[in-house]
Amino acid sequence: MIYVRVKTWAPPGHVRTPAYLRGKTGVIERSLGPFGNPEELAYGHDGTPTLLRRVRFTMSEVWGPDCEAASDTIEAEIYEHWLEPAPTPRTRHHAT
Amino acid sequence: MPHDHPHDNGVSASGHPYRTDNDGALSYWQCMEIAVRELLVEKGVTTSSEIARQIEAMDARSPSDGAKVVARAWTDPDFRRDLLADASEATRKMGFDIGPMKLIAVENTPQLHNIIVCTLCSCYPRNLLGLPPDWYKTRAYRSRTVREPRSVLAEFGVLLPPDVEVRVHDSTADMRYIVIPARPEGTEHMDADALAALVTRDSMIGTGLPLDAAAF
């Protein structure tokens, strides 16, 4: 599994990365695209071809200990430039 | 003066107030839509009749189209495989005009329940299922479905045991999603046409389950 972390940027404009996922770590579920970068398309630019990833997060990662069910999951499409490599979570090492 | 309906205190015969006419001022974006539309027509980019045809084409799409796709996935293993691999291509090959829509089909299993939301706006597979229900676009559905999906599902009457994983799909960008619900038990004797009648709009969003075959 490839772990990625969503960057914590907070730019203005037409951004398709939901705020509730910024700073959260997930795994790449599948890769899509490339698609024109919507942050550029929205302002009349050509839209740099940008890879789109579907990233899977656990509820516990996104919402912390008061989530409804820790192992339920959220998947969202995140553009490549919003993702950075993340280490495999330590708990995974202990589990294996 | 002859009159075919009463006007008693602005209340209908059933006791409800009449809906007021929409006499309010146009919003900024309504003005913008009208201006852009009239400019496109004036400049010959499109025509009023072409716009009307496109609205009719969108209004003609309905959840029954998606229900046919689901029923075929239940009865045709090759189609199911193709649908899960590339739902846009599979639905086009089946004969649906979904335009440029990029569709992903996600399948419910005994261990997994999928539910679709668009937290940022109201992305929905309109080119297959038609327009979304109003509640799909509300802030309550959009914000709560990612935060407490089991509570939302319970309000829709879908109660899932703890050992079934709930997977929320947030349509944040270019893809649209359809849930392939699990085929109900006791439907082994039914063909695709009969099965399609069991597939509800909500079961393809993930907020519902297919109808019970025993009810038919």
Side-chain angles (χ1 to χ4, degrees), chain B residues 66-67 69-71 73-74 83-84 87 103-109 112-117 124-125 128-129 136 141 153 167-169 176-182 199-210:
Chain B
V69 172
V70 171
W74 285 346
L83 185 70
L84 292 173
L103 187 67
I104 289 179
V106 291
E107 186 179 48
N108 288 350
T109 70
L112 178 68
H113 183 91
N114 295 281
I115 178 171
I116 313 300
V117 64
Y124 185 80
L128 181 65
L129 302 185
Y136 185 84
Y141 180 77
L153 285 166
R167 183 170 294 163
V168 181
H169 299 268
R176 300 294 176 265
Y177 297 87
I178 182 173
V179 174
I180 308 301
V199 183
T200 62
R201 176 196 65 196
D202 286 9
S203 73
M204 293 180 281
I205 301 173
T207 52
L209 300 173

mmCIF file of all heavy atoms in Angstrom, chain B residues 66-67 69-71 73-74 83-84 87 103-109 112-117 124-125 128-129 136 141 153 167-169 176-182 199-210:
data_model
loop_
_atom_site.group_PDB
_atom_site.id
_atom_site.type_symbol
_atom_site.label_atom_id
_atom_site.label_comp_id
_atom_site.label_asym_id
_atom_site.label_seq_id
_atom_site.Cartn_x
_atom_site.Cartn_y
_atom_site.Cartn_z
ATOM 1 N N GLY B 66 -30.482 3.790 -14.538
ATOM 2 C CA GLY B 66 -29.493 3.167 -13.654
ATOM 3 C C GLY B 66 -29.946 1.805 -13.166
ATOM 4 O O GLY B 66 -29.144 0.882 -13.021
ATOM 5 N N ALA B 67 -31.260 1.685 -12.925
ATOM 6 C CA ALA B 67 -31.799 0.401 -12.442
ATOM 7 C C ALA B 67 -31.561 -0.703 -13.466
ATOM 8 O O ALA B 67 -31.273 -1.857 -13.100
ATOM 9 C CB ALA B 67 -33.297 0.550 -12.152
ATOM 10 N N VAL B 69 -29.044 -0.829 -15.508
ATOM 11 C CA VAL B 69 -27.614 -1.146 -15.425
ATOM 12 C C VAL B 69 -27.359 -2.091 -14.248
ATOM 13 O O VAL B 69 -26.660 -3.104 -14.373
ATOM 14 C CB VAL B 69 -26.784 0.155 -15.267
ATOM 15 C CG1 VAL B 69 -25.321 -0.166 -14.983
ATOM 16 C CG2 VAL B 69 -26.909 1.026 -16.518
ATOM 17 N N VAL B 70 -27.946 -1.784 -13.097
ATOM 18 C CA VAL B 70 -27.752 -2.623 -11.910
ATOM 19 C C VAL B 70 -28.303 -4.029 -12.148
ATOM 20 O O VAL B 70 -27.638 -5.036 -11.847
ATOM 21 C CB VAL B 70 -28.427 -1.984 -10.685
ATOM 22 C CG1 VAL B 70 -28.430 -2.953 -9.505
ATOM 23 C CG2 VAL B 70 -27.720 -0.679 -10.299
ATOM 24 N N ALA B 71 -29.507 -4.100 -12.702
ATOM 25 C CA ALA B 71 -30.131 -5.415 -12.923
ATOM 26 C C ALA B 71 -29.305 -6.262 -13.882
ATOM 27 O O ALA B 71 -29.181 -7.481 -13.705
ATOM 28 C CB ALA B 71 -31.554 -5.228 -13.454
ATOM 29 N N ALA B 73 -26.049 -6.008 -14.206
ATOM 30 C CA ALA B 73 -24.858 -6.435 -13.454
ATOM 31 C C ALA B 73 -25.179 -7.645 -12.580
ATOM 32 O O ALA B 73 -24.329 -8.501 -12.348
ATOM 33 C CB ALA B 73 -24.341 -5.275 -12.600
ATOM 34 N N TRP B 74 -26.420 -7.719 -12.084
ATOM 35 C CA TRP B 74 -26.821 -8.844 -11.245
ATOM 36 C C TRP B 74 -26.977 -10.144 -12.039
ATOM 37 O O TRP B 74 -26.892 -11.233 -11.475
ATOM 38 C CB TRP B 74 -28.162 -8.546 -10.567
ATOM 39 C CG TRP B 74 -28.086 -7.575 -9.431
ATOM 40 C CD1 TRP B 74 -26.985 -7.140 -8.764
ATOM 41 C CD2 TRP B 74 -29.212 -6.915 -8.819
ATOM 42 N NE1 TRP B 74 -27.339 -6.260 -7.778
ATOM 43 C CE2 TRP B 74 -28.691 -6.102 -7.782
ATOM 44 C CE3 TRP B 74 -30.590 -6.930 -9.039
ATOM 45 C CZ2 TRP B 74 -29.512 -5.314 -6.974
ATOM 46 C CZ3 TRP B 74 -31.403 -6.149 -8.234
ATOM 47 C CH2 TRP B 74 -30.867 -5.345 -7.210
ATOM 48 N N LEU B 83 -18.391 -3.429 -15.924
ATOM 49 C CA LEU B 83 -18.936 -2.255 -15.232
ATOM 50 C C LEU B 83 -18.011 -1.820 -14.102
ATOM 51 O O LEU B 83 -17.749 -0.629 -13.909
ATOM 52 C CB LEU B 83 -20.330 -2.587 -14.688
ATOM 53 C CG LEU B 83 -21.109 -1.446 -14.037
ATOM 54 C CD1 LEU B 83 -21.540 -0.421 -15.086
ATOM 55 C CD2 LEU B 83 -22.338 -1.977 -13.295
ATOM 56 N N LEU B 84 -17.506 -2.788 -13.344
ATOM 57 C CA LEU B 84 -16.624 -2.452 -12.230
ATOM 58 C C LEU B 84 -15.267 -1.966 -12.738
ATOM 59 O O LEU B 84 -14.600 -1.170 -12.072
ATOM 60 C CB LEU B 84 -16.454 -3.666 -11.304
ATOM 61 C CG LEU B 84 -17.724 -4.059 -10.534
ATOM 62 C CD1 LEU B 84 -17.513 -5.358 -9.778
ATOM 63 C CD2 LEU B 84 -18.164 -2.954 -9.575
ATOM 64 N N ALA B 87 -17.072 1.900 -15.718
ATOM 65 C CA ALA B 87 -18.527 2.035 -15.750
ATOM 66 C C ALA B 87 -18.997 2.942 -16.884
ATOM 67 O O ALA B 87 -20.086 2.743 -17.436
ATOM 68 C CB ALA B 87 -19.027 2.565 -14.408
ATOM 69 N N LEU B 103 -17.660 7.628 -15.005
ATOM 70 C CA LEU B 103 -18.445 6.959 -13.971
ATOM 71 C C LEU B 103 -17.649 5.816 -13.333
ATOM 72 O O LEU B 103 -16.971 5.066 -14.032
ATOM 73 C CB LEU B 103 -19.730 6.410 -14.602
ATOM 74 C CG LEU B 103 -20.784 5.819 -13.673
ATOM 75 C CD1 LEU B 103 -21.393 6.904 -12.779
ATOM 76 C CD2 LEU B 103 -21.894 5.147 -14.500
ATOM 77 N N ILE B 104 -17.750 5.717 -12.018
ATOM 78 C CA ILE B 104 -17.184 4.581 -11.285
ATOM 79 C C ILE B 104 -18.342 3.862 -10.588
ATOM 80 O O ILE B 104 -19.167 4.506 -9.933
ATOM 81 C CB ILE B 104 -16.131 5.043 -10.254
ATOM 82 C CG1 ILE B 104 -14.859 5.526 -10.964
ATOM 83 C CG2 ILE B 104 -15.803 3.918 -9.269
ATOM 84 C CD1 ILE B 104 -13.769 6.021 -10.019
ATOM 85 N N ALA B 105 -18.404 2.545 -10.755
ATOM 86 C CA ALA B 105 -19.410 1.744 -10.054
ATOM 87 C C ALA B 105 -18.746 1.091 -8.848
ATOM 88 O O ALA B 105 -17.649 0.530 -8.958
ATOM 89 C CB ALA B 105 -19.980 0.683 -10.988
ATOM 90 N N VAL B 106 -19.390 1.201 -7.698
ATOM 91 C CA VAL B 106 -18.877 0.566 -6.482
ATOM 92 C C VAL B 106 -19.942 -0.407 -5.977
ATOM 93 O O VAL B 106 -21.126 -0.105 -5.985
ATOM 94 C CB VAL B 106 -18.500 1.599 -5.401
ATOM 95 C CG1 VAL B 106 -17.265 2.386 -5.841
ATOM 96 C CG2 VAL B 106 -19.643 2.551 -5.086
ATOM 97 N N GLU B 107 -19.480 -1.597 -5.576
ATOM 98 C CA GLU B 107 -20.388 -2.709 -5.339
ATOM 99 C C GLU B 107 -20.530 -2.993 -3.850
ATOM 100 O O GLU B 107 -19.534 -3.140 -3.139
ATOM 101 C CB GLU B 107 -19.831 -3.937 -6.061
ATOM 102 C CG GLU B 107 -20.724 -5.143 -6.027
ATOM 103 C CD GLU B 107 -20.096 -6.310 -6.786
ATOM 104 O OE1 GLU B 107 -18.905 -6.607 -6.564
ATOM 105 O OE2 GLU B 107 -20.803 -6.915 -7.595
ATOM 106 N N ASN B 108 -21.762 -3.091 -3.392
ATOM 107 C CA ASN B 108 -22.005 -3.524 -2.017
ATOM 108 C C ASN B 108 -21.827 -5.038 -1.898
ATOM 109 O O ASN B 108 -22.171 -5.782 -2.821
ATOM 110 C CB ASN B 108 -23.423 -3.159 -1.572
ATOM 111 C CG ASN B 108 -23.583 -1.667 -1.337
ATOM 112 O OD1 ASN B 108 -22.616 -0.921 -1.328
ATOM 113 N ND2 ASN B 108 -24.827 -1.242 -1.145
ATOM 114 N N THR B 109 -21.274 -5.471 -0.769
ATOM 115 C CA THR B 109 -21.078 -6.897 -0.503
ATOM 116 C C THR B 109 -21.571 -7.167 0.920
ATOM 117 O O THR B 109 -21.921 -6.230 1.641
ATOM 118 C CB THR B 109 -19.582 -7.273 -0.596
ATOM 119 O OG1 THR B 109 -18.899 -6.686 0.518
ATOM 120 C CG2 THR B 109 -18.955 -6.789 -1.898
ATOM 121 N N LEU B 112 -19.454 -4.872 3.040
ATOM 122 C CA LEU B 112 -19.184 -3.476 2.653
ATOM 123 C C LEU B 112 -20.451 -2.794 2.160
ATOM 124 O O LEU B 112 -21.172 -3.339 1.318
ATOM 125 C CB LEU B 112 -18.121 -3.466 1.533
ATOM 126 C CG LEU B 112 -17.738 -2.107 0.968
ATOM 127 C CD1 LEU B 112 -16.997 -1.278 2.013
ATOM 128 C CD2 LEU B 112 -16.880 -2.273 -0.288
ATOM 129 N N HIS B 113 -20.701 -1.587 2.687
ATOM 130 C CA HIS B 113 -21.813 -0.768 2.193
ATOM 131 C C HIS B 113 -21.266 0.577 1.725
ATOM 132 O O HIS B 113 -20.623 1.297 2.487
ATOM 133 C CB HIS B 113 -22.873 -0.552 3.279
ATOM 134 C CG HIS B 113 -24.055 0.218 2.777
ATOM 135 N ND1 HIS B 113 -25.171 -0.394 2.244
ATOM 136 C CD2 HIS B 113 -24.286 1.560 2.683
ATOM 137 C CE1 HIS B 113 -26.034 0.534 1.855
ATOM 138 N NE2 HIS B 113 -25.529 1.730 2.104
ATOM 139 N N ASN B 114 -21.533 0.923 0.470
ATOM 140 C CA ASN B 114 -21.053 2.174 -0.113
ATOM 141 C C ASN B 114 -22.138 3.234 -0.091
ATOM 142 O O ASN B 114 -23.320 2.938 -0.279
ATOM 143 C CB ASN B 114 -20.640 1.940 -1.570
ATOM 144 C CG ASN B 114 -19.457 1.011 -1.712
ATOM 145 O OD1 ASN B 114 -18.313 1.410 -1.516
ATOM 146 N ND2 ASN B 114 -19.722 -0.260 -2.038
ATOM 147 N N ILE B 115 -21.732 4.498 0.107
ATOM 148 C CA ILE B 115 -22.667 5.618 0.062
ATOM 149 C C ILE B 115 -21.966 6.809 -0.605
ATOM 150 O O ILE B 115 -20.771 7.025 -0.387
ATOM 151 C CB ILE B 115 -23.199 5.969 1.474
ATOM 152 C CG1 ILE B 115 -24.139 7.171 1.433
ATOM 153 C CG2 ILE B 115 -22.083 6.180 2.470
ATOM 154 C CD1 ILE B 115 -24.855 7.437 2.759
ATOM 155 N N ILE B 116 -22.713 7.528 -1.436
ATOM 156 C CA ILE B 116 -22.143 8.596 -2.267
ATOM 157 C C ILE B 116 -22.562 9.956 -1.726
ATOM 158 O O ILE B 116 -23.715 10.155 -1.328
ATOM 159 C CB ILE B 116 -22.641 8.486 -3.732
ATOM 160 C CG1 ILE B 116 -22.539 7.054 -4.260
ATOM 161 C CG2 ILE B 116 -21.888 9.469 -4.623
ATOM 162 C CD1 ILE B 116 -21.182 6.473 -4.263
ATOM 163 N N VAL B 117 -21.622 10.907 -1.751
ATOM 164 C CA VAL B 117 -21.918 12.286 -1.354
ATOM 165 C C VAL B 117 -20.993 13.189 -2.162
ATOM 166 O O VAL B 117 -19.987 12.736 -2.716
ATOM 167 C CB VAL B 117 -21.687 12.479 0.171
ATOM 168 C CG1 VAL B 117 -20.229 12.286 0.545
ATOM 169 C CG2 VAL B 117 -22.186 13.835 0.652
ATOM 170 N N TYR B 124 -23.195 14.490 -9.057
ATOM 171 C CA TYR B 124 -24.155 13.381 -9.073
ATOM 172 C C TYR B 124 -24.121 12.811 -10.493
ATOM 173 O O TYR B 124 -23.906 13.571 -11.443
ATOM 174 C CB TYR B 124 -25.540 13.955 -8.750
ATOM 175 C CG TYR B 124 -26.671 12.967 -8.599
ATOM 176 C CD1 TYR B 124 -26.849 12.241 -7.419
ATOM 177 C CD2 TYR B 124 -27.600 12.782 -9.623
ATOM 178 C CE1 TYR B 124 -27.920 11.360 -7.265
ATOM 179 C CE2 TYR B 124 -28.668 11.900 -9.475
ATOM 180 C CZ TYR B 124 -28.821 11.194 -8.289
ATOM 181 O OH TYR B 124 -29.879 10.330 -8.130
ATOM 182 N N PRO B 125 -24.344 11.521 -10.674
ATOM 183 C CA PRO B 125 -24.276 10.957 -12.037
ATOM 184 C C PRO B 125 -25.513 11.315 -12.854
ATOM 185 O O PRO B 125 -26.275 10.449 -13.287
ATOM 186 C CB PRO B 125 -24.153 9.445 -11.784
ATOM 187 C CG PRO B 125 -24.845 9.237 -10.479
ATOM 188 C CD PRO B 125 -24.557 10.473 -9.659
ATOM 189 N N LEU B 128 -26.709 9.747 -16.157
ATOM 190 C CA LEU B 128 -27.342 8.426 -16.149
ATOM 191 C C LEU B 128 -28.639 8.455 -15.343
ATOM 192 O O LEU B 128 -29.678 7.980 -15.802
ATOM 193 C CB LEU B 128 -26.395 7.360 -15.573
ATOM 194 C CG LEU B 128 -26.971 5.938 -15.545
ATOM 195 C CD1 LEU B 128 -27.214 5.423 -16.967
ATOM 196 C CD2 LEU B 128 -26.037 4.984 -14.797
ATOM 197 N N LEU B 129 -28.606 9.032 -14.143
ATOM 198 C CA LEU B 129 -29.756 8.941 -13.214
ATOM 199 C C LEU B 129 -30.676 10.155 -13.265
ATOM 200 O O LEU B 129 -31.693 10.182 -12.569
ATOM 201 C CB LEU B 129 -29.263 8.769 -11.767
ATOM 202 C CG LEU B 129 -28.373 7.556 -11.466
ATOM 203 C CD1 LEU B 129 -28.094 7.482 -9.974
ATOM 204 C CD2 LEU B 129 -29.028 6.264 -11.945
ATOM 205 N N TYR B 136 -30.026 15.656 -1.494
ATOM 206 C CA TYR B 136 -28.633 15.335 -1.814
ATOM 207 C C TYR B 136 -27.780 16.602 -1.830
ATOM 208 O O TYR B 136 -26.583 16.560 -1.594
ATOM 209 C CB TYR B 136 -28.593 14.639 -3.174
ATOM 210 C CG TYR B 136 -27.232 14.131 -3.591
ATOM 211 C CD1 TYR B 136 -26.758 12.896 -3.166
ATOM 212 C CD2 TYR B 136 -26.407 14.899 -4.421
ATOM 213 C CE1 TYR B 136 -25.515 12.431 -3.558
ATOM 214 C CE2 TYR B 136 -25.158 14.453 -4.814
ATOM 215 C CZ TYR B 136 -24.719 13.214 -4.379
ATOM 216 O OH TYR B 136 -23.479 12.759 -4.762
ATOM 217 N N TYR B 141 -26.988 16.922 4.494
ATOM 218 C CA TYR B 141 -26.556 15.638 3.925
ATOM 219 C C TYR B 141 -25.068 15.663 3.595
ATOM 220 O O TYR B 141 -24.328 14.720 3.891
ATOM 221 C CB TYR B 141 -27.379 15.296 2.675
ATOM 222 C CG TYR B 141 -26.960 13.985 2.067
ATOM 223 C CD1 TYR B 141 -27.348 12.773 2.639
ATOM 224 C CD2 TYR B 141 -26.136 13.938 0.940
ATOM 225 C CE1 TYR B 141 -26.933 11.558 2.109
ATOM 226 C CE2 TYR B 141 -25.722 12.734 0.404
ATOM 227 C CZ TYR B 141 -26.119 11.543 0.988
ATOM 228 O OH TYR B 141 -25.695 10.345 0.478
ATOM 229 N N LEU B 153 -27.500 7.001 7.529
ATOM 230 C CA LEU B 153 -28.117 5.786 6.974
ATOM 231 C C LEU B 153 -29.301 5.334 7.826
ATOM 232 O O LEU B 153 -30.346 4.938 7.296
ATOM 233 C CB LEU B 153 -27.066 4.672 6.865
ATOM 234 C CG LEU B 153 -26.067 4.839 5.714
ATOM 235 C CD1 LEU B 153 -24.873 3.903 5.889
ATOM 236 C CD2 LEU B 153 -26.762 4.574 4.370
ATOM 237 N N ARG B 167 -18.387 2.659 3.607
ATOM 238 C CA ARG B 167 -17.383 3.387 2.818
ATOM 239 C C ARG B 167 -18.075 4.567 2.127
ATOM 240 O O ARG B 167 -18.959 4.380 1.292
ATOM 241 C CB ARG B 167 -16.730 2.466 1.785
ATOM 242 C CG ARG B 167 -15.629 3.162 0.986
ATOM 243 C CD ARG B 167 -14.848 2.156 0.147
ATOM 244 N NE ARG B 167 -14.103 1.230 1.000
ATOM 245 C CZ ARG B 167 -13.605 0.063 0.603
ATOM 246 N NH1 ARG B 167 -13.804 -0.342 -0.644
ATOM 247 N NH2 ARG B 167 -12.947 -0.705 1.432
ATOM 248 N N VAL B 168 -17.656 5.762 2.507
ATOM 249 C CA VAL B 168 -18.232 6.988 1.959
ATOM 250 C C VAL B 168 -17.385 7.434 0.770
ATOM 251 O O VAL B 168 -16.159 7.497 0.879
ATOM 252 C CB VAL B 168 -18.248 8.115 3.018
ATOM 253 C CG1 VAL B 168 -18.880 9.374 2.444
ATOM 254 C CG2 VAL B 168 -18.976 7.662 4.278
ATOM 255 N N HIS B 169 -18.035 7.709 -0.353
ATOM 256 C CA HIS B 169 -17.313 8.212 -1.529
ATOM 257 C C HIS B 169 -17.652 9.682 -1.704
ATOM 258 O O HIS B 169 -18.803 10.028 -1.975
ATOM 259 C CB HIS B 169 -17.711 7.423 -2.778
ATOM 260 C CG HIS B 169 -17.394 5.967 -2.663
ATOM 261 N ND1 HIS B 169 -16.203 5.428 -3.091
ATOM 262 C CD2 HIS B 169 -18.101 4.946 -2.119
ATOM 263 C CE1 HIS B 169 -16.194 4.124 -2.821
ATOM 264 N NE2 HIS B 169 -17.326 3.807 -2.243
ATOM 265 N N ARG B 176 -17.862 10.477 -11.260
ATOM 266 C CA ARG B 176 -19.192 10.351 -10.665
ATOM 267 C C ARG B 176 -19.363 8.879 -10.274
ATOM 268 O O ARG B 176 -18.709 8.003 -10.841
ATOM 269 C CB ARG B 176 -20.272 10.787 -11.656
ATOM 270 C CG ARG B 176 -20.118 12.242 -12.119
ATOM 271 C CD ARG B 176 -20.329 13.236 -11.003
ATOM 272 N NE ARG B 176 -20.087 14.606 -11.453
ATOM 273 C CZ ARG B 176 -18.921 15.242 -11.303
ATOM 274 N NH1 ARG B 176 -17.880 14.640 -10.729
ATOM 275 N NH2 ARG B 176 -18.775 16.476 -11.725
ATOM 276 N N TYR B 177 -20.272 8.620 -9.325
ATOM 277 C CA TYR B 177 -20.354 7.296 -8.711
ATOM 278 C C TYR B 177 -21.765 6.734 -8.740
ATOM 279 O O TYR B 177 -22.742 7.471 -8.589
ATOM 280 C CB TYR B 177 -19.867 7.371 -7.251
ATOM 281 C CG TYR B 177 -18.416 7.767 -7.176
ATOM 282 C CD1 TYR B 177 -18.039 9.104 -7.162
ATOM 283 C CD2 TYR B 177 -17.422 6.798 -7.198
ATOM 284 C CE1 TYR B 177 -16.705 9.469 -7.151
ATOM 285 C CE2 TYR B 177 -16.088 7.154 -7.186
ATOM 286 C CZ TYR B 177 -15.737 8.493 -7.159
ATOM 287 O OH TYR B 177 -14.414 8.841 -7.161
ATOM 288 N N ILE B 178 -21.841 5.423 -8.904
ATOM 289 C CA ILE B 178 -23.114 4.714 -8.747
ATOM 290 C C ILE B 178 -22.850 3.494 -7.874
ATOM 291 O O ILE B 178 -21.830 2.805 -8.047
ATOM 292 C CB ILE B 178 -23.722 4.314 -10.113
ATOM 293 C CG1 ILE B 178 -25.065 3.615 -9.921
ATOM 294 C CG2 ILE B 178 -22.766 3.445 -10.916
ATOM 295 C CD1 ILE B 178 -25.807 3.345 -11.228
ATOM 296 N N VAL B 179 -23.736 3.260 -6.928
ATOM 297 C CA VAL B 179 -23.622 2.078 -6.077
ATOM 298 C C VAL B 179 -24.354 0.919 -6.762
ATOM 299 O O VAL B 179 -25.475 1.082 -7.254
ATOM 300 C CB VAL B 179 -24.240 2.339 -4.685
ATOM 301 C CG1 VAL B 179 -24.239 1.057 -3.847
ATOM 302 C CG2 VAL B 179 -23.483 3.451 -3.964
ATOM 303 N N ILE B 180 -23.687 -0.226 -6.811
ATOM 304 C CA ILE B 180 -24.353 -1.456 -7.238
ATOM 305 C C ILE B 180 -24.768 -2.172 -5.955
ATOM 306 O O ILE B 180 -23.938 -2.788 -5.281
ATOM 307 C CB ILE B 180 -23.409 -2.365 -8.064
ATOM 308 C CG1 ILE B 180 -22.765 -1.584 -9.210
ATOM 309 C CG2 ILE B 180 -24.161 -3.580 -8.585
ATOM 310 C CD1 ILE B 180 -23.745 -0.969 -10.176
ATOM 311 N N PRO B 181 -26.037 -2.046 -5.565
ATOM 312 C CA PRO B 181 -26.458 -2.690 -4.314
ATOM 313 C C PRO B 181 -26.411 -4.207 -4.447
ATOM 314 O O PRO B 181 -26.322 -4.744 -5.557
ATOM 315 C CB PRO B 181 -27.891 -2.187 -4.120
ATOM 316 C CG PRO B 181 -28.367 -1.784 -5.481
ATOM 317 C CD PRO B 181 -27.143 -1.371 -6.267
ATOM 318 N N ALA B 182 -26.441 -4.880 -3.321
ATOM 319 C CA ALA B 182 -26.444 -6.344 -3.349
ATOM 320 C C ALA B 182 -27.801 -6.840 -3.843
ATOM 321 O O ALA B 182 -28.847 -6.284 -3.499
ATOM 322 C CB ALA B 182 -26.154 -6.883 -1.951
ATOM 323 N N VAL B 199 -34.826 -1.902 -8.050
ATOM 324 C CA VAL B 199 -33.670 -1.018 -7.824
ATOM 325 C C VAL B 199 -34.147 0.427 -7.695
ATOM 326 O O VAL B 199 -34.599 1.031 -8.659
ATOM 327 C CB VAL B 199 -32.650 -1.145 -8.969
ATOM 328 C CG1 VAL B 199 -31.433 -0.270 -8.686
ATOM 329 C CG2 VAL B 199 -32.234 -2.595 -9.149
ATOM 330 N N THR B 200 -34.061 0.972 -6.504
ATOM 331 C CA THR B 200 -34.513 2.343 -6.261
ATOM 332 C C THR B 200 -33.379 3.344 -6.501
ATOM 333 O O THR B 200 -32.201 2.974 -6.502
ATOM 334 C CB THR B 200 -34.972 2.511 -4.807
ATOM 335 O OG1 THR B 200 -33.845 2.268 -3.959
ATOM 336 C CG2 THR B 200 -36.096 1.536 -4.468
ATOM 337 N N ARG B 201 -33.770 4.594 -6.685
ATOM 338 C CA ARG B 201 -32.770 5.666 -6.799
ATOM 339 C C ARG B 201 -31.856 5.658 -5.579
ATOM 340 O O ARG B 201 -30.627 5.700 -5.697
ATOM 341 C CB ARG B 201 -33.489 7.021 -6.908
ATOM 342 C CG ARG B 201 -32.544 8.216 -6.930
ATOM 343 C CD ARG B 201 -33.292 9.505 -6.638
ATOM 344 N NE ARG B 201 -33.816 9.489 -5.274
ATOM 345 C CZ ARG B 201 -34.761 10.313 -4.819
ATOM 346 N NH1 ARG B 201 -35.305 11.198 -5.614
ATOM 347 N NH2 ARG B 201 -35.166 10.231 -3.558
ATOM 348 N N ASP B 202 -32.445 5.607 -4.394
ATOM 349 C CA ASP B 202 -31.629 5.698 -3.182
ATOM 350 C C ASP B 202 -30.668 4.513 -3.047
ATOM 351 O O ASP B 202 -29.579 4.664 -2.479
ATOM 352 C CB ASP B 202 -32.524 5.785 -1.933
ATOM 353 C CG ASP B 202 -33.171 7.161 -1.790
ATOM 354 O OD1 ASP B 202 -33.059 7.972 -2.732
ATOM 355 O OD2 ASP B 202 -33.793 7.413 -0.746
ATOM 356 N N SER B 203 -31.062 3.346 -3.565
ATOM 357 C CA SER B 203 -30.151 2.197 -3.465
ATOM 358 C C SER B 203 -28.919 2.409 -4.336
ATOM 359 O O SER B 203 -27.868 1.813 -4.079
ATOM 360 C CB SER B 203 -30.865 0.895 -3.829
ATOM 361 O OG SER B 203 -31.098 0.792 -5.227
ATOM 362 N N MET B 204 -29.031 3.280 -5.353
ATOM 363 C CA MET B 204 -27.872 3.568 -6.214
ATOM 364 C C MET B 204 -27.038 4.732 -5.676
ATOM 365 O O MET B 204 -25.927 4.974 -6.137
ATOM 366 C CB MET B 204 -28.334 3.844 -7.645
ATOM 367 C CG MET B 204 -28.929 2.608 -8.315
ATOM 368 S SD MET B 204 -29.492 2.901 -10.008
ATOM 369 C CE MET B 204 -31.076 3.710 -9.717
ATOM 370 N N ILE B 205 -27.582 5.484 -4.710
ATOM 371 C CA ILE B 205 -26.814 6.514 -3.994
ATOM 372 C C ILE B 205 -26.170 5.884 -2.757
ATOM 373 O O ILE B 205 -25.155 6.352 -2.256
ATOM 374 C CB ILE B 205 -27.731 7.691 -3.587
ATOM 375 C CG1 ILE B 205 -28.383 8.331 -4.820
ATOM 376 C CG2 ILE B 205 -26.963 8.740 -2.801
ATOM 377 C CD1 ILE B 205 -29.433 9.398 -4.487
ATOM 378 N N GLY B 206 -26.806 4.801 -2.278
ATOM 379 C CA GLY B 206 -26.305 4.125 -1.082
ATOM 380 C C GLY B 206 -27.105 4.465 0.160
ATOM 381 O O GLY B 206 -26.848 3.921 1.232
ATOM 382 N N THR B 207 -28.083 5.372 0.037
ATOM 383 C CA THR B 207 -28.912 5.722 1.190
ATOM 384 C C THR B 207 -30.101 4.780 1.332
ATOM 385 O O THR B 207 -30.909 4.950 2.252
ATOM 386 C CB THR B 207 -29.439 7.161 1.068
ATOM 387 O OG1 THR B 207 -30.058 7.315 -0.218
ATOM 388 C CG2 THR B 207 -28.314 8.163 1.189
ATOM 389 N N GLY B 208 -30.212 3.818 0.431
ATOM 390 C CA GLY B 208 -31.312 2.867 0.516
ATOM 391 C C GLY B 208 -30.850 1.491 0.091
ATOM 392 O O GLY B 208 -29.684 1.285 -0.268
ATOM 393 N N LEU B 209 -31.778 0.546 0.170
ATOM 394 C CA LEU B 209 -31.533 -0.816 -0.289
ATOM 395 C C LEU B 209 -32.569 -1.132 -1.354
ATOM 396 O O LEU B 209 -33.623 -0.487 -1.412
ATOM 397 C CB LEU B 209 -31.656 -1.797 0.881
ATOM 398 C CG LEU B 209 -30.684 -1.567 2.047
ATOM 399 C CD1 LEU B 209 -31.028 -2.490 3.215
ATOM 400 C CD2 LEU B 209 -29.249 -1.779 1.599
ATOM 401 N N PRO B 210 -32.325 -2.121 -2.197
ATOM 402 C CA PRO B 210 -33.347 -2.497 -3.183
ATOM 403 C C PRO B 210 -34.630 -2.946 -2.482
ATOM 404 O O PRO B 210 -34.605 -3.342 -1.312
ATOM 405 C CB PRO B 210 -32.705 -3.664 -3.944
ATOM 406 C CG PRO B 210 -31.249 -3.552 -3.669
ATOM 407 C CD PRO B 210 -31.121 -2.942 -2.307
#
